Amino acid sequence: MTQQIRLPSAAVLLVVAAATLTGCTGVIPAVSTPAPLDGMASTPTAAPTTSGPSSHRLPSCDALAAAVTAANPEVLAGLSYDRTTSDSNTAAEAYDQRVCVYTTTDRATQLGITIAVIPFQQPELDNYATLPNAVDDPRLVAHDAVLQTFSAGDGDDGHLDSPLYLIDTEYSITIQGLSAGGDTSTTLTALTVPVATDMAFVTRDLIG
């Protein structure tokens, strides 16, 4: 069965953050995890640009692919931009967003980059930075940002297995791999936490 990257909505990101802040280790809300094709919303007819009038200029998926490949040539090897999958994962929300999903020909392996104009308050970011799933990186200070994996300890085996989030007071960036077999360690071998972190910062630098 073909699976797809699930774009977290603003509400989901806040729920996840709130649950993490309180130390909750319960079941992750189903809406925040990848879902089968038949569980996705209908595909929008418009390309994922911005929703409504806005001064935000989000980079194109081609620009993202070029920048990510320049930084880490192996991470998108064998993958190409899939507009249909990207469109189907663009949330019908009132915030600006760009969803770029790069897939194998059969779409069984997917790597998604999502930019959402979902700002966080600085006190929230300060709290998130102290949590067990926070990832330290010297580049965070440039944007007063927080970097988190969805699961604490993700990357201990050298591979990113859950979504990685880079959030600040202006944007939320998500990097997520997905495999139809459920194990991206063999289908996206180059997707380590350091590589995903590079992808997130490359994306953030393109926004400016």
Side-chain angles (χ1 to χ4, degrees), residues 41-50 81 83-84 86-92:
S42 58
T43 303
T45 56
T49 53
T50 56
Y81 171 61
R83 176 171 177 169
T84 299
S86 300
D87 284 359
S88 68
N89 284 277
T90 300

Side-chain angles (χ1 to χ4, degrees), residues 32-146:
S32 67
T33 58
L37 180 61
D38 56 9
M40 298 296 294
S42 58
T43 303
T45 56
T49 53
T50 56
S51 51
S54 173
S55 61
H56 295 287
R57 304 294 177 87
L58 302 181
S60 69
C61 293
D62 287 342
L64 278 176
V68 165
T69 300
N72 292 283
E74 295 181 359
V75 72
L76 291 182
L79 305 177
S80 58
Y81 171 61
D82 188 322
R83 176 171 177 169
T84 299
T85 302
S86 300
D87 284 359
S88 68
N89 284 277
T90 300
E93 303 285 352
Y95 54 82
D96 295 337
Q97 59 191 290
R98 174 82 75 209
V99 181
C100 301
V101 183
Y102 307 91
T103 75
T104 51
T105 303
D106 60 3
R107 298 181 182 172
T109 298
Q110 305 176 6
L111 181 54
I113 304 174
T114 297
I115 307 169
V117 186
I118 303 175
F120 285 76
Q121 299 297 314
Q122 191 60 52
E124 293 175 314
L125 296 172
D126 293 341
N127 284 331
Y128 300 158
T130 67
L131 298 175
N133 57 330
V135 179
D136 190 27
D137 190 282
R139 292 168 287 187
L140 290 169
V141 296
H143 303 289
D144 291 325
V146 173

Side-chain angles (χ1 to χ4, degrees), residues 2 10 31 45 58 62-63 66 79 99 102 116 134 136 153-154 158 188 193 198 200 202 206:
T2 302
V31 71
T45 56
L58 302 181
D62 287 342
L79 305 177
V99 181
Y102 307 91
D136 190 27
D154 191 358
L188 292 171
V193 170
D198 286 346
V202 163
L206 279 179

